[in-house]
Amino acid sequence: MGGLILAADVGATNMRAGLFNERLELVKLSTAATPQTNVSAAVPMALLKLAREVSGDMWGMIERCGVASIGPLDSGRGVILKAPNIAEKGVEIPLLSMLMEELEVEFYHLNDCNAAAYGEWMVARENGVRNLVYITISSGIGGGAVDNGHLILGRRGNGVEIGHIIIDPSGYMQCGCGGYGHWEGYASGANIPRLAEKLLRDGQIPDGTLLAESIRKGALDAKRAFALYYAGDRGALGLFERLRDYLAAGLAGVINVFEPETLVLGGAIFLNNRDFFEREVFPAIDRYLLLERPPIIEPVRGDLAPLYGAAYAARDRIEGALVEPGR
């Protein structure tokens, strides 16, 4: 076995590393928790340890390495820049520093959603698709896009940060990144409870509802909010009218900008609540659209899409993702 590619996907809570053969088949996979303290040193060390674990005695056969990670990032330096969704916020993480000291190969660093878009497009292109957008709606909202066969990366690897498009210029909600009016600040799993809490404080959710009771008890999370909506709670129904429009407006904005042939939609908020999206959100998209709504499908690669995308990016030597030591 020769020509191996090492790939990794570093998330806010967990990380994966995989070893791919010359046919880009995943031959070994390892996972670990992402450290939450002393992250500038602990996360690079954990990544190196995981890479060593998954590679074993095949370490010397690795030709290239692709790494997907949370952002924002500086892909040319292999650095995560003050990620808002990790427990120890505001800390720069030299993600690839230790790994690059021990493995002398080319490294490619991508935002995890850009990597996922590339991983999904590698499957879709077999059916002739050249324009694809990937969106995940989970604890946060992220995305990536392939335009006529080219992965859009941006200047430092932060292109297509769709979770931070503005859907409310009044700035009613503050996003975890510190900005106001961002899509993620209203419609992500982490922020649906925060939106409900603020609406209750402002008198926009009626007292005497199960939603109001859950908020006051500190017992509301996204899963509970959806359960109350499905149960027909009056407070939750009002909240989800707003949520429907926030989700539809964000999705329509992305479609209007990129005009994809296929929109791949994943993340726990969508995958665990398909009925709400199919019955409420998708029809509401059309009133915001300039262009026709493309087919909306689930990820073929599932949670492994960023890992596969990182491997493909390393194989294809994606311009704009190459890490340049000393930059």
Side-chain angles (χ1 to χ4, degrees), residues 106-149:
E106 286 183 351
F107 280 80
Y108 294 82
H109 186 198
L110 303 91
N111 171 280
D112 51 4
C113 288
N114 289 336
Y118 201 58
E120 288 295 318
W121 178 67
M122 281 294 171
V123 178
R125 74 173 186 170
E126 295 176 4
N127 295 318
V129 173
R130 289 185 54 78
N131 298 275
L132 176 145
V133 165
Y134 169 89
I135 298 175
T136 179
I137 304 175
S138 190
S139 56
I141 297 177
V146 175
D147 179 64
N148 286 304

Side-chain angles (χ1 to χ4, degrees), residues 143-279:
V146 175
D147 179 64
N148 286 304
H150 298 284
L151 180 63
I152 298 175
L153 292 174
R155 181 169 66 92
R156 293 192 295 176
N158 299 302
V160 200
E161 278 281 8
I162 59 172
H164 302 281
I165 60 175
I166 308 304
I167 62 164
D168 177 15
S170 76
Y172 183 72
M173 292 295 295
Q174 184 177 20
C175 183
C177 73
Y180 288 85
H182 295 186
W183 190 20
E184 182 175 300
Y186 293 74
S188 67
N191 288 303
I192 291 170
R194 292 182 59 246
L195 174 63
E197 290 165 11
K198 187 163 186 181
L199 289 170
L200 179 64
R201 288 197 303 270
D202 293 344
Q204 300 299 306
I205 291 176
D207 284 317
T209 62
L210 292 175
L211 181 65
E213 180 182 336
S214 294
I215 294 169
R216 290 202 166 96
K217 289 181 176 178
L220 187 69
D221 57 14
K223 183 177 180 180
R224 172 69 174 162
F226 272 98
L228 292 175
Y229 164 75
Y230 293 132
D233 177 70
R234 184 164 56 98
L237 291 175
L239 171 66
F240 275 75
E241 282 185 13
R242 296 172 185 263
L243 185 60
R244 173 201 63 205
D245 292 341
Y246 293 141
L247 287 165
L251 289 167
V254 174
I255 294 168
N256 286 338
V257 169
F258 292 105
E259 193 183 8
E261 296 164 68
T262 299
L263 193 158
V264 181
L265 184 58
I269 293 297
F270 166 64
L271 294 174
N272 294 334
N273 300 284
R274 293 176 183 85
D275 182 63
F276 169 69
F277 277 80
E278 291 171 359
R279 188 180 68 248

